[in-house]
Amino acid sequence: MMLYKIQAPALWIALLVASAALLSGALVCATPFAAFAALAAITLPRRAAALAAACAWLANQLVGFAILNFPIGFESMMWSAILLASMVATTVAVQSVCGGLARFGTAGSMVAGFLASQLVFRGLMIVAASILGGIEGFTIENLAFLSAVDFATFVGLLVIAEVAAFVGRSVLSPVRMAQPRA
């Protein structure tokens, strides 16, 4: 269920992917995956949302392996696959939550969608870290930092979407001339 109508979905997906690439380079292991999944889920139909989430993941992986020199090995490939699966699963979960809570309005559903993205994505990462190792990195401080990065990204990109829509309407809308009174 699309909760928030985007006027130019292709440009929106491009913005999500470009943001994922830029933030991956800047934040390395704090890329706001849950925010990208939530944003895709609330703004795009199911298939497009899953595709946008996967493209954001791909941008992160390209930056990580090609620019940041992430090690290429079994463990990093496992984490890469887990990140992709978690992004898609989070996107689907957020759409389900938002669809079920539509009666609470757009703002309430968006808050619920964001919270669902945090629970689902972080939960999947914690389960994976419990199996593959690395659970010690999931401290309260680190989880709070990751959630803050996700929140800033979520709000920031929604603000950009609103500003772009306003500018687009202002620039592209025909100007109505006042009709002279007879």
Side-chain angles (χ1 to χ4, degrees):
M1 171 193 171
M2 286 189 329
L3 191 62
Y4 184 88
K5 178 79 169 135
I6 293 294
Q7 299 301 320
L11 289 175
W12 176 243
I13 292 171
L15 176 63
L16 291 177
V17 172
S19 299
L22 290 171
L23 291 172
S24 295
L27 299 172
V28 188
C29 290
T31 301
F33 289 113
F36 291 124
L39 287 163
I42 65 171
T43 58
L44 299 165
R46 190 170 298 257
R47 272 192 198 165
L51 177 65
C55 287
W57 164 85
L58 181 60
N60 166 266
Q61 297 302 291
L62 289 172
V63 168
F65 288 107
I67 297 171
L68 300 175
N69 296 316
F70 285 0
I72 297 175
F74 177 76
E75 186 176 348
S76 60
M77 293 298 113
M78 287 297 298
W79 274 109
S80 181
I82 289 166
L83 284 171
L84 174 59
S86 297
M87 286 277 294
V88 173
T90 301
T91 302
V92 171
V94 169
Q95 283 192 327
S96 296
V97 166
C98 289
L101 297 175
R103 67 184 175 276
F104 293 109
T106 301
S109 294
M110 288 173 89
V111 169
F114 177 78
L115 293 174
S117 76
Q118 296 302 296
L119 293 172
V120 172
F121 190 79
R122 299 285 173 251
L124 291 170
M125 292 295 99
I126 289 169
V127 168
S130 298
I131 296 167
L132 294 176
I135 193 69
E136 63 280 352
F138 288 88
T139 64
I140 295 297
E141 293 83 11
N142 286 348
L143 291 171
F145 174 74
L146 293 170
S147 293
V149 169
D150 275 322
F151 182 75
T153 302
F154 184 81
V155 171
L157 286 172
L158 284 176
V159 167
I160 289 170
E162 276 297 307
V163 169
F166 176 77
V167 169
R169 282 190 301 270
S170 298
V171 172
L172 300 176
S173 296
V175 177
R176 297 186 189 269
M177 302 297 284
Q179 297 295 324
R181 292 186 177 200

